[in-house]
Amino acid sequence: MAKTLVIVESPAKAKTISKFLGKDYIVEASMGHVRDLPQKKSELSVSQQKLKYASLGVDTENDFAPLYVIPDTKKKVIKNLKTKIKGSDELYIATDEDREGEAIGWHLVEILKPKGKVKRIVFHEITKSAIVNAIKTPREIDTNLVNAQQGRRILDRLVGYKLSPLLWNKVRKGLSAGRVQSVAVRVIVDREREIKAFIPEESWSIKAILKTGKQEEFESKLIKLEDKKIILRKEPESKTVLADLEGASYSVLDIIKKEVKRNPSPPFTTSTLQQEAARKLGFSVKKTMMVAQKLYEGIKLKGSDETGLITYMRTDSLNLSQKALQDAKKTIKNLYGDKYSLPTPRVYKTKSKGAQEAHEAIRPTELSRLPNMIKPDLDKDEYRLYELIWKRTIATQMAQAILDSLTVDIQAKTLVGKNYIFRATGQTIKFDGFMKVYIESFDDPDKAKENKEKLLPYLEKKEVLDLVKLIPEQHFTKPPPRYTEASLVKKLESEGIGRPSTYAPTIMTIINRGYIEREEKKLVPTDVAFVVTDLLVNHFTNIVDLKFTANMENDLDDIALGKKKWVPLLYDFYNPFIELIHKKDKEIKRSDIIEEKTDEVCDKCGKPMVIKLGRNGKFLSCSGYPECKNAKPLNNDKKDEVLEELQKQYSKEVCEKCGAKMVVKTGRFGNFLSCENYPKCKTTKAILIKSGVKCPDCEDGDIIEKRTKRGKIFYGCSNFPKCKFALWKKPVIEKCKKCAGLQVIHKKGVIKCKDCGNETNI
């Protein structure tokens, strides 16, 4: 008897679903996409390589017909699927219900050419009831979703493959441009420029620590002089006020008490999960999606088979199913009592108009499955993310929190006849409601402050208060903060740039391409990011224009909804785009892009020095190059100090070959010693930066600072390659007090044992 073939994307998903469907079904994995545009000509057949558009993979003269190929890594998968389909009379495409999943299903059908029936099934969670119901309600492959994915893929190929070579010619080899990635880089570059251009403004505040008759102290802040708001710009102004307040008497002028109701945050979408996991758990966007994928595809729980623990994690929707709402109400009543439950479910409206609105928000598949119940079956990261999703989902269906907000104005009557007004604010939780389970985190410290409870003592009008002390404080306005992965995702989403599935790969791409570096979880643009962004802004405005990119996303959404056709959209974009590429390739001079004039003069030939962009960032070079090869690092106080210190340290070092002095230089992999007679003598020597810690593996070598090919610092044994011990975080000399293991700097102010995990504040 023939069996039914079901194709999903991953082996984990296949394993879970096969246990739900039984022996009449064969469940196989496609391992993601099985067909794509060629990465290189060698992937094509001999006849295909002769095609005019072979390198691009898209026929721009014939309705953008794509030249799809099966990558070598997928040929074995396809061979297996073709074997399996021969013995099947039905094919179920069970890939994810989004554009990528729909496209994978369409490609599978195009390659396998099944003779039997093809049915498309979709589900938002991998549970037995969801899978069985999906089998009962199949549909056809949605060509609108497929076309939206094709349109995006081809559009991104056109931008990347046509614009990147121009960057190679005008800036340097190996750079890339992308429709979404270049906008993300621009956002980070623009923020960095805001920070650099920021001029701090001084201000002063005066706090009064006051005491009631019951000796209860509280804090208040000066806000007015009589009825006029007071602003103190400079220290002399604050000193004048302090002089006025000498001998002043303090009393309660007014008390305003009001009840404030607070609602919970909506359930998680992809982007809000990425943001909150970054803030609460310290996860990168990539890590969040990897862990969420595991929870979605299925984990074996004690006493049962594999089952999906959360719904599909790529979604814009805020919807919760009726079953989820009913389960939430029941769970809340059981755990917290009736007063925490809602009489009718709280419903959130989804802003996105995209096709993914058909999904649910991210939630546990069973809300009765409490985090602690399955903790033994999950690893640490899986548990923490599941707990976060569970708490957020439950909180959305809990009663409002009710707080009493208190504002107290205090009058300070001075001996000089002036009345200054101080204000104290506070809040108390009257009923915690959803806050019993969950409170959202914020990137903005001021918003985070609002969520913290601050208590005030009981006060009455006209009550006389004693002054404990006055505290003048100097303040400076702060520049906008650098983006983190979480705040970048929030920015891109708010601007309509990209979609849930694109944020993680976009961030990884701009880091891997060398445009952005991470510094203490902040995203910092490199020199090349500024240069490329300026080139694109000045010459290819649309590519890095936020509104243009957002409108393009809306057009792709319209294709997914069947409102627009993808081929006319590509013609409208491509024709003016390719004309501009040809025009700018002739107009733009490389020297105008990568060189900046300076007032400095070459100390070897007397010609002007210019700032150039190299692989390791900007540096000073003689304008007489290549006749004069004089070059040196660009002025940077910290770097200069390090180089000067190293030069002193190695001042007696001489070249082993010619006997000339060795000088410290900076290269792709950090600082090194080079012969003074370079390029005549090319002798170099590594500078070992020791950590002071012996290698715990071979117990002979020193752990030294090293750099990857991309310049990222790591720490490894000096006896490499004999000893391959390495770690990313900087080791410390002190041994762990618990197990005497190796400790590393885990984060700011905290060291952690690599062996037992013990953390210590420093």
Side-chain angles (χ1 to χ4, degrees), residues 353-372:
K353 71 168 186 175
Q356 295 188 54
E357 198 170 332
H359 295 163
E360 278 192 76
I362 304 168
R363 64 164 176 85
T365 53
E366 295 291 339
L367 284 162
S368 58
R369 193 178 282 130
L370 308 185
N372 281 339

Side-chain angles (χ1 to χ4, degrees), residues 616-654:
N616 303 304
K618 292 184 176 181
F619 66 99
L620 276 172
S621 173
C622 180
S623 58
Y625 181 87
E627 288 77 18
C628 178
K629 293 184 170 66
N630 187 23
K632 52 186 175 180
L634 193 61
N635 286 337
N636 181 308
D637 292 342
K638 287 185 179 178
K639 285 183 180 178
D640 287 349
E641 285 174 17
V642 171
L643 289 173
E644 281 178 25
E645 191 60 39
L646 285 172
Q647 196 62 66
K648 287 178 186 176
Q649 189 178 337
Y650 292 95
S651 60
K652 295 179 181 178
E653 197 83 23
V654 293

Side-chain angles (χ1 to χ4, degrees), residues 694-721:
K694 281 287 183 184
C695 175
D697 277 12
C698 69
E699 299 180 349
D700 177 46
D702 295 303
I703 299 179
I704 58 172
E705 184 180 301
K706 296 186 174 186
R707 287 179 185 263
T708 65
K709 288 181 180 179
R710 296 197 178 274
K712 188 175 179 181
I713 292 173
F714 72 101
Y715 301 88
C717 182
S718 58
N719 284 339
F720 180 85

